[in-house]
Amino acid sequence: MQITKRDLIVSLSTACFTLTCICATPRFDIMESSIFEWNTIPVKSTKTGGVRTFFRSQTATLDELECHVTTLNPGEASHPPHQHPEEEVIIVKEGTVEALVNGQKKTVGPGSVIFQASNQMHAISNVGQTQATYHVFSWHSPGTMKR
């Protein structure tokens, strides 16, 4: 049996296409059990205060798990009211914040927990006289994240 130029071209084309598909498929590192020390996470200054991004990664059960800590200066809001498909939990560390939840604003302080459901309008602002700091945990369940 003789190999023709056509056979070689088809074989090479198929091999190249296969390698391209394999190499182009995004590979995501799955976050394992970890510790993130407060003082090792750099603070990024923002026009409203600052933010520390602890992690943003795929996990064994989620397309993405994200944790950041926001510090808002007095009178500042993190963003205008908005909504998104991922859910989030906010834990107030210090200060006094006003949260928009279910169309109503409520003022809460340290230790309070706020849950923002998927695709519901929400917002948070610092209504106190000192900085307000809060932890944000958000997640994308499998199939809900746009790539």
Side-chain angles (χ1 to χ4, degrees), residues 33-58:
S33 298
S34 304
I35 293 176
F36 303 91
E37 294 185 57
W38 180 266
N39 292 326
T40 64
I41 308 299
V43 179
K44 179 184 171 195
S45 293
T46 66
K47 65 179 184 171
T48 60
V51 65
R52 293 174 193 252
T53 301
F54 283 76
F55 53 80
R56 185 176 208 148
S57 181
Q58 183 177 10

Side-chain angles (χ1 to χ4, degrees), residues 59-127:
T59 71
T61 60
L62 297 171
D63 284 350
E64 182 180 84
L65 177 63
E66 189 252 344
C67 173
H68 69 272
V69 176
T70 297
T71 299
L72 288 178
N73 294 326
E76 295 290 347
S78 59
H79 46 66
H82 70 286
Q83 63 188 34
H84 42 68
E86 67 270 22
E87 297 168 316
E88 58 187 19
V89 170
I90 299 169
I91 303 171
V92 181
K93 179 178 185 247
E94 58 192 14
T96 305
V97 299
E98 181 180 77
L100 173 64
V101 177
N102 294 326
Q104 296 185 354
K105 292 181 180 180
K106 183 163 183 178
T107 301
V108 296
S112 298
V113 177
I114 303 162
F115 172 70
Q116 300 293 5
S118 175
N119 294 313
Q120 292 188 349
M121 294 297 287
H122 62 276
I124 192 166
S125 60
N126 181 351
V127 293

